[in-house]
RNA sequence: GGGCGCGUGGCGCAAUGGCAGCGCAGUUGACUUUUAAUCAAUUGGUUGCAGGUUCGAGUCCUGCCGCGCUCACCA
């Protein structure tokens, strides 16, 4: 239960005084003729047209600044569109209404409705000359105070900002209310996702929705969350990807489908990982991974244009050009270019590890990893990825890392090249700003090969069983009906939003990033207590302060006014028998709450002296 | 999970082991064109929690909780 702070008590008191004056604190009917930005624009337009007639407006919003100067006051109100100053004069408002300002009954953070005509103050600021001011929602908890100063150069310096990351994430509403730049991030996020939809719709793809709860997880290598359907007596998994469900739809006759939705992975969090994240996947028939590359390049350029106005963006001070074409190279070529060797010269995990060791490149590498994992996870992930600042497509991945991709095509007279072709797949990932942004393949559509891959995966990763892709018999059944050749694509949308909003942490592009649940607070306990009492039909009493004691106690009472002080005083100083009597008096339902916990006084206390009982609580 | 760092009024921050302080906000008063308004006065703290060392702990030690960074993990 809420325990008001000193500042909140002051506002509660103001709320009472307002109600005494007959002011409605939370009215239901609101008037507004203009959004704030519209009102200002209209005034500026009239000014430039040299019109003389008054522009009457009614605007609404939250007060963000209030500066009383005696019989005249200035306020800034803000709605989503912007801010405008209110010019408040006792002459215009009348004594009674102005009194609310003068007595400070209206605070910063309150929502108001203001009617008047547009004007400029003596210093030139566009304002509403307010004739009528109405409180439309009282704020009881003050928001953190942020003051702004505009320098001559136009930059805004903020004083006393609200920047404690934990508070900002846990109370995102306050963060948003105070920090305009945070609000802007999520506007851009919405624009980015709309841009993706518009683009994919424009490509003739059908947006679909597939199950979040799946009887088998698959399509990626990740630890899933599991849950249980009670009525069906069935274990279910939260999806780690959409892949297998989307590709079944190509069997069903759609040429191209996509889905934007949430995936869940039961793994660590980092600046670029959240346990739940937004994924985009699409699958398009009759194209291969080169076709997917073309779409990828155009799609990112389009999204950047829609969000930032240009395909040339800046990320953390670096200029990044998302316009096609992007650099494309195979993982083998990347290793040759950046590390100066051909991994095909080391065709087993043992020889590859030995070579890397001779170069001093094995830090963090498990010698028991598979050959493909060494190349993708270690060589690419630890030694190449961070250098890929400009958009780069890295293609042709080792087969054992890509269970849903077709082998690369071609033939060669050379033995080493034949081995290369046999052991690699048409898969690519693309990297921007040193971050993996997505993953795509020429999709495997041979059910016989697919079944072999499931078995391979199981064999390779037997010891980490929960990270392998389980064999999905229904998926194979679908594929046996015939799946058109197709190219598929998956990308973490949150990372794209990070890129387009210049953010370095995924948490800053998620409205509610995952945080550990905070400890139960006293306020939570009090709330529980109050609810329990209501359910039992008891009166309750919180913060019962006992004479000469620092303890605060909460009680369930079967009825009010039954001599609590007297009985408790006895119990505190007396024997267990008296305590039990007390309990009896309360119909066997005496609960005592201290700052730490809620205790039930019951038979478990037998044998404990009252003094020990109370000292155990303190 | 490992390492490093942080946790002090509502917010932003100080404080060699020695009286817990400052700014903003708040409260009271003054002011009819302010804009980080100003002026005068003023309230508010069990320094995340629990122990320990010490004459004395915000500060040192141990454990716990939370957050951040980083490593590990991570298609």
């Amino acid at each position: 239960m809420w325990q008001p702070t000193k500042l909140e008590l002051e506002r509660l008191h103001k709320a009472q005084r307002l109600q005494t004056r007959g002011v409605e604190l939370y009215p239901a009917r609101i008037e507004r003729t203009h959004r704030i930005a519209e009102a200002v624009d209209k005034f500026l337009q009239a000014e430039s047209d040299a019109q003389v007639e008054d522009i009457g407006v009614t605007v609404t919003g939250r007060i963000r600044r209030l500066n009383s100067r005696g019989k005249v006051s200035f306020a800034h109100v803000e709605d989503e569109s912007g801010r405008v100053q209110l010019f408040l004069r006792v002459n215009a408002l009348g004594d009674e209404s102005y009194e609310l300002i003068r007595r400070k009954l209206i605070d910063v953070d309150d929502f108001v409705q203001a009617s008047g005509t547009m004007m400029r103050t003596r210093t030139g600021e566009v304002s509403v000359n307010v004739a009528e001011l109405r409180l439309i929602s009282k704020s009881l908890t003050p928001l953190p105070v942020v003051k702004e100063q505009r320098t001559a150069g136009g930059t805004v310096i903020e004083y006393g900002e609200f920047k404690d990351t934990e508070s900002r994430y846990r109370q995102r509403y306050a963060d948003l209310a105070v920090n305009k730049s945070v609000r802007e991030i999520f506007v851009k996020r919405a624009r980015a996702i709309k841009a993706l939809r518009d683009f994919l719709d424009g490509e003739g793809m059908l947006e679909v929705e597939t199950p979040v709860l799946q009887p088998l997880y698959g399509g990626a290598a990740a630890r899933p969350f599991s849950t249980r359907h009670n009525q069906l007596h069935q274990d279910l998994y939260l999806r780690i990807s959409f892949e297998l469900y989307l590709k079944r739809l190509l069997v069903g006759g759609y040429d191209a489908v996509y889905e934007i939705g949430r995936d869940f992975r039961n793994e660590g969090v980092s600046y670029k990982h959240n346990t739940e994240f937004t994924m985009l996947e699409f699958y398009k028939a009759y194209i291969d991974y080169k076709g997917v590359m073309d779409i990828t390049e155009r799609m990112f350029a389009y999204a950047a244009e829609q969000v930032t106005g240009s395909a040339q963006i800046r990320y953390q001070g670096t200029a990044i050009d998302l316009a096609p074409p992007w650099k494309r190279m195979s993982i083998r070529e990347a290793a040759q270019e950046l590390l100066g060797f051909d991994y095909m010269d080391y065709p087993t995990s043992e020889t590859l590890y030995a070579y890397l060791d001779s170069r001093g490149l094995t830090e963090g590498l498990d010698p028991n990893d598979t050959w493909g994992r060494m190349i993708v996870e270690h060589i690419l992930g630890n030694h190449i990825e961070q250098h890929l600042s400009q958009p780069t497509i890295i293609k042709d991945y080792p087969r054992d890392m890509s269970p849903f991709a077709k082998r690369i095509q071609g033939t060669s007279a050379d033995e080493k090249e034949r081995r290369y072709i046999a052991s690699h797949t048409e898969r690519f990932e693309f990297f921007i700003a040193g971050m993996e942004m997505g993953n795509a393949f020429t999709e495997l559509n041979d059910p016989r090969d697919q079944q072999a891959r499931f078995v391979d995966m199981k064999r390779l990763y037997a010891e980490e069983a929960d990270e392998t892709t389980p064999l999905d018999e229904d998926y194979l059944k679908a594929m046996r009906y015939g799946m058109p050749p197709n190219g598929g694509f998956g990308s973490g949308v949150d990372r794209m939003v990070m890129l387009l909003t210049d953010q370095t942490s995924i948490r800053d592009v998620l409205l509610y990033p995952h945080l550990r649940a905070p400890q139960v607070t006293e306020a939570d306990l009090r709330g529980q207590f109050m609810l329990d009492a209501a359910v039992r039909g008891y009166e309750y009493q919180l913060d019962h302060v006992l004479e000469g004691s620092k303890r605060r106690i909460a009680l369930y009472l079967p009825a009010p006014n039954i001599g609590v002080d007297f009985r408790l005083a006895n119990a505190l100083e007396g024997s267990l028998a008296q305590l039990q009597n007390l309990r009896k008096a309360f119909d066997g339902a005496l609960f005592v709450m201290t700052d730490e916990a809620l205790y039930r006084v019951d038979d478990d206390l037998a044998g404990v002296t009252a003094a020990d009982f109370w000292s155990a609580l303190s």
Side-chain angles (χ1 to χ4, degrees):
Chain A
M1 198 186 79
W2 179 42
Q3 272 218 298
T5 63
K6 178 171 173 285
L7 295 180
E8 288 169 333
L9 281 171
E10 269 159 7
R11 291 214 173 167
L12 274 174
H13 185 54
K14 287 179 183 185
Q16 275 170 355
R17 285 160 65 197
L18 282 162
Q19 276 175 320
T20 309
R21 286 165 176 261
V23 175
E24 201 180 349
L25 300 184
Y26 302 100
R29 305 279 172 264
I30 307 306
E31 315 239 330
R32 152 155 104 162
T33 61
H34 298 77
R35 298 178 60 166
I36 284 171
E38 291 164 2
V40 172
D41 285 349
K42 192 171 177 186
F43 176 71
L44 294 175
Q45 187 62 44
E47 224 178 27
S48 68
D49 295 349
Q51 287 178 14
V52 283
E53 62 210 79
D54 285 342
I55 296 169
V57 298
T58 298
V59 293
T60 54
R62 192 195 283 278
I63 297 182
R64 297 303 307 275
R65 168 177 168 262
L66 185 57
N67 172 21
S68 181
R69 192 138 167 22
K71 294 195 173 87
V72 61
S73 297
F74 303 87
H76 280 168
V77 279
E78 183 176 68
D79 68 11
E80 195 190 326
S81 73
R83 280 188 187 204
V84 71
Q85 178 167 264
L86 302 182
F87 182 58
L88 303 155
R89 275 198 313 167
V90 65
N91 313 38
L93 280 167
D95 283 335
E96 194 181 332
S97 188
Y98 192 78
E99 197 64 3
L100 302 184
I101 300 287
R102 180 191 275 275
R103 294 292 141 222
K104 295 191 179 180
L105 293 174
I106 289 181
D107 291 292
V108 171
D109 304 326
D110 288 349
F111 284 85
V112 294
Q113 168 187 322
S115 305
T117 53
M118 299 301 294
M119 61 167 285
R120 273 185 196 274
T121 56
R122 196 174 289 169
T123 51
E125 179 163 350
V126 175
S127 308
V128 180
N129 188 5
V130 179
E132 227 178 295
L133 184 72
R134 183 179 168 222
L135 180 67
I136 58 173
S137 181
K138 183 72 190 162
S139 160
L140 297 179
T141 303
L143 286 164
V145 181
V146 177
K147 289 195 169 189
E148 295 177 350
Q149 184 185 26
R150 270 182 213 88
T151 60
T155 45
V156 176
I157 304 170
E158 288 195 342
Y159 296 85
E161 2 165 32
F162 181 49
K163 64 179 187 182
D164 177 70
T165 47
E166 184 176 353
S167 309
R168 284 183 45 230
Y169 294 153
R170 287 201 195 279
Q171 300 185 60
R172 184 65 96 177
Y173 34 86
D175 184 28
L176 291 163
V178 165
N179 294 320
K180 189 170 180 230
S181 59
V182 177
R183 286 206 296 274
E184 283 165 356
I185 288 171
F186 294 100
V187 172
K188 286 183 177 172
R189 184 184 169 107
R191 275 216 298 269
I193 290 171
K194 178 172 171 15
L196 293 174
R197 281 212 164 84
D198 289 347
F199 178 87
L200 294 167
D201 291 345
E203 294 286 308
M205 300 195 197
L206 180 72
E207 180 171 13
V208 297
E209 292 173 280
T210 63
V212 172
L213 291 172
Q214 304 179 344
L216 272 184
Y217 58 95
R223 217 165 267 129
F225 287 94
S226 61
T227 185
R228 176 110 188 129
H229 190 300
N230 291 336
Q231 200 201 345
L232 299 181
H233 304 297
Q234 182 186 17
D235 287 328
L236 292 167
Y237 300 96
L238 272 67
R239 64 184 175 190
I240 58 173
S241 91
F242 327 146
E243 172 151 2
L244 303 183
Y245 280 89
L246 289 178
K247 281 198 283 190
R248 283 173 170 100
L249 296 175
L250 299 188
V251 173
Y254 298 110
D255 276 358
V257 293
Y258 76 91
E259 178 164 5
I260 296 173
R262 213 65 70 86
D263 274 348
F264 306 83
R265 296 187 183 176
N266 205 340
E267 285 161 359
V269 298
S270 80
Y271 75 95
K272 56 181 178 181
H273 296 89
N274 195 61
T275 48
E276 58 180 289
F277 61 99
T278 299
M279 186 77 169
L280 161 66
E281 290 189 27
F282 70 74
Y283 296 86
K284 186 173 167 66
Y286 317 122
I287 63 171
D288 60 17
Y289 74 153
K290 290 204 169 63
V292 178
M293 291 177 200
D294 297 339
I295 294 172
T296 302
E297 293 173 351
R298 286 189 291 117
M299 182 169 72
F300 268 66
Y302 178 79
E305 279 161 21
Q306 295 302 306
V307 173
T308 71
S310 166
Q312 283 74 44
I313 62 167
R314 286 196 85 76
Y315 184 74
Q316 300 298 304
T318 304
I320 291 177
D321 186 358
L322 294 169
W326 297 354
K327 187 170 185 183
R328 299 180 185 186
M329 63 204 304
S330 70
I331 190 167
R332 185 184 180 192
E333 289 161 349
Q336 282 169 327
E337 184 173 307
L338 282 145
L339 297 170
F341 81 108
D342 181 4
Y343 64 69
M344 286 309 295
D345 292 336
Y346 309 96
T348 65
S349 57
E350 291 78 14
T351 53
L352 183 59
Y353 186 87
Y355 173 75
L356 291 171
D357 201 30
S358 75
R359 293 272 310 268
L361 295 174
T362 47
E363 198 191 327
L365 177 60
D366 178 356
N368 296 318
D369 261 356
T370 65
W371 187 73
R373 267 178 78 99
M374 285 187 183
I375 292 164
V376 175
E377 295 292 332
H378 187 71
I379 296 179
L380 177 62
N382 292 348
H383 296 288
I384 294 177
E385 178 173 331
Q386 66 265 35
H387 303 297
L388 304 176
S389 163
Q390 294 301 313
T392 307
I393 287 168
I394 300 286
K395 59 182 180 142
D396 301 341
Y397 279 51
R399 179 170 173 269
D400 68 34
M401 291 298 291
S402 313
F404 299 105
K406 256 182 200 170
R407 290 185 172 82
I408 58 174
Q409 308 296 302
T411 52
S412 174
D414 181 67
E415 194 269 334
K416 184 164 95 174
E417 295 312 308
R418 272 206 308 280
R419 273 195 289 111
Y420 176 69
I421 291 165
S423 60
H424 284 68
T425 55
E426 292 198 353
R427 169 184 172 192
F428 74 89
E429 294 185 312
F430 56 105
F431 299 84
I432 307 170
M435 196 159 45
E436 183 206 324
M437 301 297 294
N439 183 23
F441 338 117
T442 302
E443 299 292 336
L444 184 56
N445 64 340
D446 177 346
R448 301 162 307 167
D449 194 358
Q450 183 67 70
Q451 180 163 330
R453 301 290 188 95
F454 277 129
V455 174
D456 282 351
M457 284 291 286
K458 200 71 194 172
R459 190 170 56 230
L460 280 168
Y461 297 104
E463 71 282 5
E464 3 172 14
D466 58 348
E467 277 194 35
T468 59
T469 300
L471 190 146
D472 188 334
E473 189 52 51
D474 183 73
Y475 177 64
L476 289 170
K477 180 191 282 183
M479 202 182 271
R480 284 194 293 266
Y481 279 114
M483 179 184 287
N486 68 93
F489 170 95
S491 174
V493 172
D494 311 291
R495 291 185 186 175
M496 187 189 84
V497 174
M498 285 168 69
L499 187 72
L500 297 181
T501 56
D502 201 16
Q503 296 299 309
T504 56
S505 170
I506 196 169
R507 295 181 195 89
D508 289 318
V509 300
L510 297 169
L511 280 168
Y512 301 105
H514 182 74
L515 295 181
R516 219 173 293 232
Q519 268 185 307
V520 175
T521 64
E522 189 183 334
D524 297 325
L525 281 175
R526 285 165 183 278
Q528 276 296 311
F529 193 91
M530 198 169 69
L531 281 178
D532 285 353
V535 167
R536 288 156 201 257
Y538 285 160
E539 300 290 319
Y540 65 92
Q541 193 166 349
L542 297 171
D543 281 334
H544 191 87
V545 180
L546 292 156
E547 192 72 26
S549 167
K550 283 195 295 184
R551 274 186 209 101
R552 288 180 299 186
I553 289 178
L555 300 168
Y556 287 143
L557 307 177
N561 305 321
I562 55 171
V564 175
D565 279 308
F566 175 75
R567 288 160 189 265
L568 273 178
N570 276 346
L572 271 171
E573 287 157 30
S575 65
L576 181 66
Q578 280 169 311
L579 190 65
Q580 297 290 16
N581 282 342
L582 181 69
R583 177 193 157 219
K584 210 169 175 181
F586 291 146
D587 200 21
L590 170 63
F591 286 76
V592 178
M593 192 173 70
T594 68
D595 290 349
E596 301 89 43
L598 181 65
Y599 298 90
R600 183 177 178 133
V601 180
D602 59 20
D603 296 334
D604 290 348
L605 291 169
V608 180
T609 68
D612 285 348
F613 172 72
W614 291 112
S615 69
L617 299 187
S618 59

